[in-house]
């Protein structure tokens, strides 16, 4: 019998989703013991660091939540087997990147980590266990998990008691940078499952701080598909507004005025209409490609193509910004110094997965530019990995070697602040909307550059008038006004 009163949770995967989500659950449910486990010993060590600025995930407010719950009922450990054995509920929150080889390469999600988790749960759990899919997964992954769990398992350590499992889908809708706010005050909680008691067991946890009307109960498949669809719709809005940004630049309109005018229509709504260098992050591209893969699999090529175009437009926006920089700098950036301000895929996170800065930097390096990169939260090592990975996604060790090859085209260096990044630069490209970049003192920065100098504001966050007054040329995304 499944108990609806959960006492012990194990979350497999201490990443951007598992870490913050479990921290909030532990904070809000002091009577539940929450163990977050990971194969990566360094990651667990960082989660346990007494210096909270060293947590492996940067999220505003996360340090306070961890400080309240860690050691009380929130534990980070590499002791995976024991944590699974003690748990009534196991969350699977591991990485599901797009496959790079084999069937579905470039589109389908690589489920090897999820499969490994399911096998480990099948092996180590005791008694009745509720398994919750937290990672974003392709539709019908629950079937994979179920079939691994369904072969009857004898529990050796528990006097031969039969193990039972229920599988739930509970996709996470938090956005990085606002994870804690999103977790503490979600628009909705989605729980998909067949067993009413298992669904209610999970609902009871959220009911500690989320009103019942915000908890949506659906079938497993609807829940899985809702997550992919939500991300596809959000990404589609960004590609739509970015397509209009190019038209605004060509015709003299301003995309922010257009966005504001359409956003006041309550049917359209004002959110997610900020034009920029294209969407990044671990979810949007992956989920759309997954959706497209599913559509093709189920014989719906037209639907697949429809969604694929959202990703194509996104790639185009990034390529067009790099081309535009070259064009404005008299058709060549070879040996010119370009400062990139912001490398994270959005502000308030240290995550760089699929960040537009990667492709834009890579394109400019290919043109021979000398790039100086500054980001308030992304370090040198991480940028190094990203730029190398952009060349060769398959093999990291190989990718590090390609760094030298790339440097023979152009060069990049890491800088600790804005002033050192822009000194002697011919151009500045703002790629992440960090607060710091909204209030730069252009009067004092402009003399440090080589003139004629440009500011390419791909997030439209800097003060356009102040930039002009300081004697700099400016290009702003979607701004066709003179
Ligand atoms: C997204 C979804 O929002 C979240 O619900 C899901 O759980 C995971 O994927 P995330 O990728 O963390 O979250 O951040 P989000 O705020 O959605 O931004 C994604 C990308 O879109 C960023 O690169 C951001 O800069 C870009 N974006 C967002 C825009 O370019 N314009 C906008 O108006 C909004
Ligand atoms: P997300 O953004 O979905 O949270 P991350 O890559 O940030 O993804 O985190 C996923 C975490 O899952 C990583 O820290 C990885 O080490 C961990 N992980 C992957 N497979 C396993 C496994 N079988 N057991 C334990 N941890 C795992």
């Amino acid at each position: 019998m499944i108990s609806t009163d959960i006492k012990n949770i194990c979350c497999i995967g201490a990443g951007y989703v598992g870490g913050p989500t479990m921290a909030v659950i532990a904070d809000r449910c002091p009577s539940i013991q929450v163990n977050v486990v990971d194969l990566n010993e360094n990651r667990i060590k960082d989660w346990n660091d007494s210096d909270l600025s060293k947590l492996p995930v940067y999220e505003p407010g996360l340090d306070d939540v961890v400080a309240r719950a860690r050691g009380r009922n929130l534990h980070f450990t590499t002791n995976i087997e024991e944590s699974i054995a003690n748990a009534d509920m196991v969350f699977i929150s591991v990485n599901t990147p797009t496959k790079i080889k084999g069937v579905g390469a470039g589109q389908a999600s690589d489920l090897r980590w999820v499969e490994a988790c399911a096998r480990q749960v099948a092996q180590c759990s005791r008694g009745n266990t509720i398994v919750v899919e937290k990672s974003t997964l392709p539709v019908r992954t629950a079937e994979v998990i179920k079939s691994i769990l369904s072969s009857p398992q004898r529990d050796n350590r528990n006097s031969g008691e039969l193990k039972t499992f229920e599988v739930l889908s509970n996709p996470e809708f938090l956005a990085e940078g606002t994870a804690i706010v999103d977790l503490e005050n979600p628009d909705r909680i989605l729980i998909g499952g067949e067993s009413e008691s298992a669904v209610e067991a999970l609902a009871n946890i959220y009911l500690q701080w989320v009103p019942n009307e915000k908890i949506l109960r659906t079938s497993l498949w609807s829940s899985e598909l809702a997550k992919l669809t939500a991300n596809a719709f959000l990404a589609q809005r960004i590609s739509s507004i970015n397509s209009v940004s190019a038209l605004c630049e060509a015709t003299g309109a301003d995309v922010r005025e257009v966005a504001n005018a359409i956003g006041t229509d309550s049917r359209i709504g004002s959110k997610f209409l900020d034009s920029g260098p294209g969407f990044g992050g671990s979810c949007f591209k992956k989920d759309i490609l997954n959706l497209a893969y599913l559509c093709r699999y189920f014989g719906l090529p037209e639907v697949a193509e429809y969604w694929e175009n959202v990703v194509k437009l996104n790639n185009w926006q990034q390529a067009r910004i790099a081309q535009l920089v070259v064009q404005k700098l008299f058709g060549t950036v070879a040996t010119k110094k370009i400062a990139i301000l912001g490398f994270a895929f959005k502000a308030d996170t240290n995550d760089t997965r699929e960040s537009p800065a990667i492709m834009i930097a890579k394109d400019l390096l290919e043109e021979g530019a000398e790039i100086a990169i500054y980001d308030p939260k992304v370090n040198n090592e991480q940028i190094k990995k990203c730029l190398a990975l952009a060349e060769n996604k398959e093999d990291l060790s190989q990718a590090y070697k390609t760094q030298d090859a790339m440097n023979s085209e152009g060069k990049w260096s890491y800088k600790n602040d804005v002033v050192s990044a822009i000194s002697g630069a011919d151009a500045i490209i703002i790629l992440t909307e960090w607060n710091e970049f909204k209030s730069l003192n252009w009067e004092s920065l402009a003399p440090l550059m080589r003139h004629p100098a440009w500011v390419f504001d791909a997030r439209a966050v800097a003060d356009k008038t102040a930039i002009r007054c300081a004697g700099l040329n400016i290009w702003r995304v979607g701004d066709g006004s003179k």
Side-chain angles (χ1 to χ4, degrees), residues 292 294-308:
L294 277 173
C295 294
R296 285 193 198 285
Y297 178 81
F298 288 107
L300 300 166
E302 291 81 2
V303 184
E305 266 172 45
Y306 173 79
W307 288 111
E308 278 160 0

Coordinates of all heavy atoms in Angstrom, one line a residue, residues 292 294-308:
A292 N 9.9 17.7 -32.0 CA 9.9 17.5 -33.4 C 10.2 16.0 -33.7 O 9.6 15.4 -34.6 CB 11.0 18.4 -34.1
L294 N 9.5 13.5 -31.8 CA 8.2 12.7 -31.5 C 7.3 12.8 -32.7 O 6.6 11.8 -33.1 CB 7.6 13.3 -30.3 CG 8.1 12.8 -28.9 CD1 7.4 13.7 -27.8 CD2 7.8 11.4 -28.7
C295 N 7.1 14.0 -33.2 CA 6.2 14.3 -34.3 C 6.5 13.4 -35.5 O 5.7 12.8 -36.1 CB 6.1 15.7 -34.7 SG 5.5 16.8 -33.4
R296 N 7.8 13.4 -35.8 CA 8.3 12.6 -37.0 C 8.0 11.1 -36.7 O 7.6 10.4 -37.6 CB 9.8 12.8 -37.3 CG 10.0 14.2 -37.9 CD 11.4 14.3 -38.5 NE 11.7 15.7 -38.7 CZ 11.2 16.4 -39.7 NH1 10.4 15.8 -40.6 NH2 11.5 17.7 -39.8
Y297 N 8.3 10.7 -35.5 CA 8.1 9.3 -35.1 C 6.7 8.9 -35.3 O 6.4 7.8 -35.8 CB 8.6 9.1 -33.7 CG 8.4 7.7 -33.2 CD1 9.3 6.7 -33.5 CD2 7.3 7.4 -32.4 CE1 9.2 5.4 -33.0 CE2 7.1 6.1 -32.0 CZ 8.0 5.1 -32.3 OH 7.8 3.8 -31.8
F298 N 5.8 9.8 -35.0 CA 4.3 9.5 -35.1 C 3.7 9.9 -36.4 O 2.5 10.1 -36.6 CB 3.6 10.2 -33.9 CG 3.8 9.5 -32.6 CD1 4.6 10.0 -31.6 CD2 3.3 8.2 -32.4 CE1 4.9 9.4 -30.4 CE2 3.6 7.5 -31.2 CZ 4.3 8.1 -30.2
G299 N 4.6 10.2 -37.4 CA 4.2 10.4 -38.8 C 3.6 11.8 -39.0 O 2.6 12.0 -39.8
L300 N 4.1 12.8 -38.3 CA 3.6 14.2 -38.4 C 4.7 15.1 -38.8 O 5.1 16.0 -38.1 CB 3.0 14.6 -37.1 CG 1.8 13.8 -36.5 CD1 1.5 14.1 -35.1 CD2 0.6 14.0 -37.4
P301 N 5.3 14.9 -40.1 CA 6.4 15.8 -40.5 C 6.1 17.2 -40.5 O 7.0 18.1 -40.2 CB 6.8 15.2 -41.8 CG 5.6 14.5 -42.3 CD 4.9 14.0 -41.1
E302 N 4.9 17.6 -40.9 CA 4.5 19.0 -41.0 C 4.6 19.7 -39.6 O 5.1 20.8 -39.5 CB 3.1 19.3 -41.6 CG 3.0 18.9 -43.1 CD 2.8 17.4 -43.3 OE1 2.7 16.6 -42.3 OE2 2.8 17.0 -44.5
V303 N 4.1 19.0 -38.6 CA 4.2 19.5 -37.3 C 5.6 19.6 -36.8 O 6.0 20.6 -36.2 CB 3.3 18.6 -36.3 CG1 3.3 19.3 -34.9 CG2 1.9 18.4 -36.8
A304 N 6.4 18.6 -37.1 CA 7.8 18.7 -36.7 C 8.5 19.9 -37.3 O 9.2 20.7 -36.7 CB 8.5 17.4 -37.2
E305 N 8.2 20.1 -38.6 CA 8.9 21.3 -39.3 C 8.5 22.6 -38.7 O 9.3 23.5 -38.6 CB 8.5 21.3 -40.8 CG 9.5 20.6 -41.6 CD 9.0 20.4 -43.1 OE1 8.5 21.4 -43.6 OE2 9.2 19.3 -43.6
Y306 N 7.2 22.7 -38.4 CA 6.7 23.9 -37.7 C 7.5 24.3 -36.5 O 8.0 25.4 -36.4 CB 5.2 23.7 -37.4 CG 4.6 24.8 -36.6 CD1 4.2 26.0 -37.2 CD2 4.5 24.7 -35.2 CE1 3.7 27.0 -36.5 CE2 3.9 25.8 -34.4 CZ 3.5 26.9 -35.1 OH 3.0 27.9 -34.4
W307 N 7.7 23.3 -35.6 CA 8.5 23.6 -34.4 C 10.0 23.8 -34.7 O 10.6 24.6 -34.0 CB 8.2 22.5 -33.4 CG 6.9 22.6 -32.8 CD1 5.8 21.8 -33.0 CD2 6.3 23.7 -32.0 NE1 4.7 22.2 -32.3 CE2 5.0 23.4 -31.7 CE3 6.9 24.9 -31.5 CZ2 4.2 24.3 -30.9 CZ3 6.1 25.7 -30.7 CH2 4.8 25.4 -30.4
E308 N 10.5 23.0 -35.6 CA 11.9 23.1 -35.9 C 12.3 24.6 -36.4 O 13.4 25.1 -36.1 CB 12.4 22.1 -37.0 CG 12.6 20.8 -36.5 CD 12.5 19.7 -37.5 OE1 12.3 20.0 -38.7 OE2 12.7 18.5 -37.2

